[in-house]
Amino acid sequence: MSEHALHRIGELSKLAGVSPRTIDFYTSMGLIEPERRSAKNYRLYSDETLNRLKRIVQLKKDKYTLDEIKANLAVWRKVSTEDQVSGRLMDLQLHLEQLQREVQEIEPVLNQLKPQQAKQVFKRLAPQTAACVEALMLLINKGGLM
């Protein structure tokens, strides 16, 4: 890995939009880790770590706890050592969980719709829902879950 692909904590902090203290805290929790140390003993972080840090920041905004984030990161890291793949799979899982929470929140409203209103809502959702379900079924079948 080339030297200029590594970031010191101050630079990582600016790029990710978090404080150096937050980076220290996430490092101590094991959410991120430095790639290596410089000759002057500075922690050096890779672009992969920057992407992981940005993902953590987004998950925090989405109201996930640090423990939930750590657990999810660990699970997906086991699935794939390739950060990009594991990150995308984790994003998909978390997005599905978010959709599930949103559906639960609007379920009482949907249950109160008049039949004609419900038909209109579901007519608009049907093509997108069908495509999404089909894609998820392909993913599930690849995993041998069905």
Side-chain angles (χ1 to χ4, degrees):
M1 180 175 288
S2 63
E3 187 67 35
H4 52 84
L6 298 175
H7 311 284
R8 285 181 30 187
I9 194 167
E11 184 183 0
L12 185 70
S13 164
K14 285 186 183 105
L15 291 170
V18 296
S19 71
R21 272 181 72 179
T22 299
I23 292 172
D24 283 336
F25 181 65
Y26 289 172
T27 301
S28 71
M29 270 194 78
L31 287 168
I32 59 172
E33 53 191 54
E35 189 70 27
R36 61 186 175 85
R37 289 193 175 263
S38 71
K40 293 184 178 181
N41 208 27
Y42 289 114
R43 285 175 288 173
L44 299 173
Y45 295 90
S46 68
D47 284 335
E48 278 182 18
T49 303
L50 173 61
N51 292 334
R52 187 177 172 101
L53 185 55
K54 286 179 179 178
R55 187 175 298 117
I56 292 166
V57 169
Q58 184 56 51
L59 292 169
K60 284 289 295 163
K61 283 182 188 169
D62 292 341
K63 306 283 191 258
Y64 286 91
T65 68
L66 288 177
D67 286 337
E68 288 172 324
I69 294 169
K70 188 174 185 178
N72 278 310
L73 289 171
V75 166
W76 288 114
R77 178 150 278 179
K78 283 181 199 163
V79 170
S80 171
T81 54
E82 193 177 325
D83 249 18
Q84 190 177 12
V85 173
S86 104
R88 295 293 299 267
L89 289 171
M90 188 181 83
D91 289 345
L92 179 61
Q93 175 196 353
L94 295 172
H95 191 65
L96 288 170
E97 289 171 8
Q98 179 67 30
L99 286 172
Q100 187 177 5
R101 283 199 298 262
E102 289 175 17
V103 167
Q104 287 170 341
E105 287 172 9
I106 64 165
E107 202 169 12
V109 175
L110 292 176
N111 289 337
Q112 292 177 2
L113 291 177
K114 293 179 178 135
Q116 194 57 36
Q117 292 172 316
K119 195 182 267 186
Q120 287 295 100
V121 168
F122 292 115
K123 193 190 305 182
R124 273 189 280 175
L125 287 177
Q128 295 152 326
T129 304
C132 185
V133 168
E134 191 174 327
L136 289 171
M137 291 304 292
L138 283 170
L139 192 62
I140 289 169
N141 287 333
K142 275 189 190 227
L145 299 174
M146 295 195 77

